[in-house]
Amino acid sequence: MSREREMAMEFLGLNFMQSAQVDMESLSRSFIDEMEKGLKGELSSLFMLPTYIEAKSAIPSNRPVIALDAGGTNFRVALVVFDDEKKPLIKGFRKFPMPGVKGEVGLEEFFACIATAIGDLIPESDDIGFCFSYPTEIMENGDGRLLRFSKEINAKEVEGQMIGENLNKALLARGMNKPKNIVIVNDTVTTLLAGMSAFADRNFDSYIGFILGTGTNCCYSEKNSLITKIKGVRAQGEQVINIESGGFGRSPRGLIDREFDETTLNPGFYTFEKMISGAYLGGLFTLTLKSASRAGLFSAGTAASIDSASPFTTSDMGAFLADKEKAGSVHNLMAKEGELAIAFCIAEEIVDRAARLSAVNLASIAIKTGKGFDPLRPVLTAADGTTFYELPGLRQKTLRYIDSFLRVSHGQYMEFARVDNASLIGAAIAGLR
Ligand code: BGC
């Protein structure tokens, strides 16, 4: 091992920030335990939100539906129609910044922004499928109550409010004559639905919808008989459960994770997500460099530059990992030879740990549901999110951990797939139900 890597790993180890300090087997047991408690309505860090949506692939043809997608950074709108072959046609696509991402917005302003964004598509369909990527309790009529914003969205007044009902109010105030049928659905659910429809000709044992972008989360199909916290659903059937896995609270956290958490909008909330997703990894990396320079890993000149630097984004971190030698925001801070290699090992280890935690998250679902033992009928994980696909090494490492942990240790098979425009297509499928 190089001296630089040795220094980085020793420092991370002393701060309990090394990837290998996370024991996958015992973490998976805790994850499954939290899943079970959440399904029973017992105290759990996993919301385990029922969706009342069955993972079925039937889609009506030639019925236009307005599809909305409120993600962590962007708000997208389109009109979607499925042709006779069930191929989606996307028209009138437009993209805006997500309200609340650049400073606080109030309730009315939040929904007025969304209504304005839909604009001329309002008369095109009576149905709206709304991919709303925040912890939201779904009602049997398809509307949803936002529990709380994650991903640093600043719109406190919207928390606790019904999303569809408030959107209809804003649309009526803009001259629309009757309320729309609005179905609220999480982005993991849209990804699962879009994944099922894209691979309808393949035989999978079950499906997972997985997002690793600004935030992280996954959903899966669960037996109604095990969701004992809701009454009155058909005991024989299954429905998709939105785990809200970013909220998992039993992962071991390092000293720097704890310090970083204190700098976020909601300390103590979604601590798992803060170790994994794009809204946070750049900030966590910056703080880890600062802490490493306090511990004496960098020269005085470099330490001073690190201290006064503004936080790196996850994409700065990605650019550094992709092309370590080129001038860039991280590279520019390092004054002495060898320092770049220390910073690189730190960044790489943060990515490795995010991959390990994501693999535990996904594998735990397969282990809990007992799916994918037949190598010919694996579990399909439909995966979406820029961080997963663009942060160098993250996807490859996640797949490697899934292979060693799920296939080698547990004998279960999982395949990954990417579906283009999964949020809009899945929102449209949900809106047509
Ligand atoms: C939200 C989830 C969402 C995930 C991925 C999290 O912050 O709470 O609802 O699925 O991000 O977008």
Side-chain angles (χ1 to χ4, degrees):
M1 194 186 296
S2 72
R3 176 78 195 116
E4 287 78 19
R5 182 167 161 79
E6 220 167 61
M7 283 166 72
M9 294 306 278
E10 189 193 356
F11 163 76
L12 292 170
L14 288 172
N15 284 281
F16 308 101
M17 298 290 292
Q18 262 187 27
S19 180
Q21 286 170 315
V22 175
D23 177 62
M24 295 180 78
E25 201 62 66
S26 74
L27 190 62
S28 170
R29 279 196 294 273
S30 311
F31 196 93
I32 294 171
D33 184 48
E34 291 288 280
M35 286 175 81
E36 283 166 352
K37 286 190 176 131
L39 290 173
K40 290 188 208 144
E42 293 171 6
L43 195 66
S44 166
S45 57
L46 295 176
F47 282 126
M48 302 298 287
L49 300 167
T51 63
Y52 304 95
I53 289 183
E54 274 181 60
K56 278 204 202 134
S57 47
I59 302 171
S61 296
N62 305 313
R63 247 180 71 195
V65 53
I66 299 167
L68 309 180
D69 171 24
T73 319
N74 294 309
F75 183 80
R76 301 183 186 86
V77 183
L79 190 72
V80 179
V81 57
F82 294 91
D83 66 13
D84 291 328
E85 273 79 55
K86 312 296 176 201
K87 284 229 166 56
L89 294 165
I90 299 179
K91 301 189 217 162
F93 175 82
R94 72 258 343 234
K95 187 164 108 177
F96 305 87
M98 175 68 193
V101 86
K102 291 189 189 130
E104 182 152 15
V105 292
L107 182 72
E108 260 184 49
E109 191 186 348
F110 184 85
F111 287 102
C113 283
I114 296 179
T116 309
I118 303 174
D120 58 325
L121 294 182
I122 295 175
E124 299 289 330
S125 171
D126 289 338
D127 302 307
I128 296 184
F130 191 169
C131 173
F132 193 72
S133 311
Y134 305 92
T136 303
E137 180 192 356
I138 303 298
M139 309 293 148
E140 273 193 86
N141 69 1
D143 203 350
R145 183 189 305 282
L146 172 66
L147 297 170
R148 201 165 173 178
F149 269 118
S150 50
K151 297 184 277 210
E152 309 295 287
I153 297 296
N154 202 346
K156 279 267 172 274
E157 277 178 28
V158 184
E159 296 183 353
Q161 297 292 328
M162 298 300 293
I163 302 304
E165 195 181 302
N166 277 287
L167 178 56
N168 262 326
K169 263 191 219 157
L171 289 168
L172 290 166
R174 291 178 60 82
M176 184 182 79
N177 50 7
K178 73 176 192 354
K180 304 272 184 208
N181 310 312
I182 303 181
V183 175
I184 305 297
V185 65
N186 187 258
D187 54 352
T188 56
V189 182
T190 57
T191 301
L192 182 147
L193 294 173
M196 278 191 78
S197 87
F199 295 93
D201 52 342
R202 290 274 314 272
N203 193 358
F204 290 105
D205 201 10
S206 72
Y207 300 83
I208 290 175
F210 171 56
I211 305 282
L212 207 181
T214 312
T216 191
N217 186 15
C218 44
C219 72
Y220 73 108
S221 188
E222 182 57 277
K223 294 192 182 84
N224 282 335
S225 59
L226 296 180
I227 317 169
T228 51
K229 68 178 168 187
I230 48 171
K231 306 278 170 258
V233 274
R234 271 186 317 117
Q236 307 89 309
E238 292 204 350
Q239 65 174 283
V240 176
I241 291 286
N242 167 14
I243 297 183
E244 283 297 328
S245 58
F248 180 54
R250 286 170 62 186
S251 178
R253 288 194 294 154
L255 301 180
I256 305 168
D257 292 312
R258 288 170 194 277
E259 191 184 337
F260 176 63
D261 183 32
E262 291 303 317
T263 69
T264 61
L265 214 52
N266 293 303
F269 179 69
Y270 274 49
T271 52
F272 196 55
E273 178 162 276
K274 290 171 187 168
M275 299 161 83
I276 297 176
S277 76
Y280 305 102
L281 290 185
L284 182 63
F285 173 52
T286 313
L287 192 64
T288 311
L289 286 183
K290 289 190 173 169
S291 171
S293 72
R294 284 200 299 268
L297 271 76
F298 298 109
S299 62
T302 300
S305 318
I306 292 176
D307 241 10
S308 55
S310 44
F312 299 120
T313 61
T314 301
S315 92
D316 293 331
M317 184 179 169
F320 172 54
L321 282 169
D323 201 351
K324 12 193 183 308
E325 304 245 11
K326 279 240 178 80
S329 45
V330 181
H331 183 281
N332 291 342
L333 297 181
M334 307 293 152
K336 287 186 67 180
E337 213 182 308
E339 293 183 331
L340 215 46
I342 297 177
F344 182 85
C345 291
I346 290 177
E348 192 190 32
E349 193 65 10
I350 290 176
V351 172
D352 194 283
R353 192 184 60 164
R356 185 186 283 256
L357 297 174
S358 299
V360 169
N361 180 349
L362 295 168
S364 301
I365 299 171
I367 297 168
K368 181 196 177 294
T369 51
K371 300 286 184 180
F373 281 104
D374 178 351
L376 305 181
R377 293 183 71 225
V379 173
L380 178 71
T381 293
D384 206 355
T386 42
T387 310
F388 188 61
Y389 290 105
E390 285 171 23
L391 188 62
L394 182 56
R395 190 177 71 87
Q396 295 83 335
K397 287 175 198 289
T398 308
L399 265 54
R400 230 176 285 140
Y401 281 126
I402 283 288
D403 190 61
S404 59
F405 182 63
L406 189 63
R407 186 183 65 85
V408 178
S409 306
H410 287 265
Q412 289 168 267
Y413 290 79
M414 182 178 287
E415 203 173 302
F416 284 74
R418 182 178 198 172
V419 184
D420 289 334
N421 292 315
S423 299
L424 285 176
I425 295 169
I429 297 173
L432 288 171
R433 279 157 196 245

